Structure formats: C-alpha cells, structure tokens
Amino acid sequence: IAEEGKRIWTRTPMPHCSLDNFVNDTFLQTVKEELTRLTYNVRGNDLYEFLQSNDLASVASPAIKALCNFIYSKQFLQWMEKLSGISGLHDGGRTDISAAFYGNTSRLLCHDDHLSGRRIAFILYLVPPSWEEADGGHLDLFECN
C-alpha cells in the first residue's frame, strides 16, 4: 500500500475516500497491459453499456493475479476496515473484482451501489497519464433523497 499518496476522506454526500498514487505506477502499467489481452463481454441495460471482463480471480496473468491477491489479502482488508470503520471485512467474505472498459459510446448513468451483501464498492482508475477532466469519465457523487 503506497503511503506517500494523497488520501482524501469525506462523508459528503456519502462516506468515501479517494487515494492518489495508491499502487506503484510501474506495476499498474503492467496490469493495464495484461488487461488489454483479456476477453470482454458487452454489458448493458437502461443504466449502462460497457465492456466487462469475467471475474479477475480466475485470471492467470502474473500482475493481475498479484493485484487480486493483494486486494484479497488479510493485510489489505484489515487496512480497509481501519480506513472505513467497517469491521469484519477479512472474515472470509467475498470480494468480486472485474475490469471494465468504457469507450466513446459507453455510459454509466446515475445509480446507487446498494447490492445485497455489498459493504464496500471500490474503483481503481487506470487512465493514461495524459488524461484530463475534459476527457470525461470522472466519478461524481450526489446526495439522494
């Protein structure tokens, strides 16, 4: 876990945390290269349309496997418990990990992430260094009533 990164924790509009430089850039570049070699399936309905991989836990590529092992590790899950205040994350629960590709015509409309059994949702953005806000694709969080 990269400790030198910027960490922003806030409770508005809902509890969430943003971690910059969370994982080594060189390692993430290798993960990105391996992800380009996976097979993706079209996922779509009235809220979204994008390409999604199968569960990454079954992928044999070394960097992807190392990333999954890190996220599944007791050390990481205990760190997430400490960061979030949510206990029991490392008690044998399930962690799902997949990759999604959003192209020029992809979409993900406003939605909530309240799924049965989900306690934490996380996103690891793998955008090129040249990415700018004008390119779109950033995460917006909204209050809901």
Side-chain angles (χ1 to χ4, degrees):
I1 300 171
E3 290 296 331
E4 68 275 359
K6 183 172 71 172
R7 183 183 305 168
I8 300 170
W9 177 259
T10 184
R11 296 200 172 275
T12 306
M14 67 203 61
H16 66 280
C17 183
S18 175
L19 304 169
D20 288 342
N21 302 316
F22 175 65
V23 180
N24 176 284
D25 285 341
T26 303
F27 172 72
L28 285 181
Q29 184 59 40
T30 305
V31 169
K32 285 168 57 173
E33 290 167 7
E34 290 180 3
L35 289 171
T36 64
R37 295 189 287 270
L38 296 181
T39 300
Y40 288 81
N41 305 299
V42 175
R43 299 283 187 236
N45 64 24
D46 59 334
L47 291 176
Y48 58 81
E49 186 170 321
F50 56 89
L51 300 174
Q52 184 178 39
S53 72
N54 292 327
D55 189 351
L56 295 181
S58 62
V59 173
S61 300
I64 294 172
K65 190 161 217 50
L67 179 63
C68 289
N69 288 340
F70 169 71
I71 291 172
Y72 297 148
S73 73
K74 184 175 181 177
Q75 175 193 11
F76 177 76
L77 294 174
Q78 286 176 332
W79 182 78
M80 288 294 293
E81 287 178 351
K82 182 179 175 184
L83 184 67
S84 69
I86 299 172
S87 62
L89 296 177
H90 71 285
D91 295 339
R94 180 182 167 148
T95 303
D96 296 321
I97 304 173
S98 64
F101 176 79
Y102 293 85
N104 288 336
T105 60
S106 298
R107 67 184 184 284
L108 179 59
L109 301 179
C110 291
H111 65 283
D112 66 47
D113 273 353
H114 291 222
L115 298 175
S116 177
R118 179 177 285 171
R119 299 177 68 198
I120 292 181
F122 63 92
I123 302 167
L124 178 59
Y125 279 104
L126 300 175
V127 297
S130 62
W131 181 87
E132 297 177 359
E133 277 208 39
D135 296 328
H138 47 32
L139 177 65
D140 293 318
L141 301 175
F142 299 96
E143 295 277 350
C144 65
N145 298 327

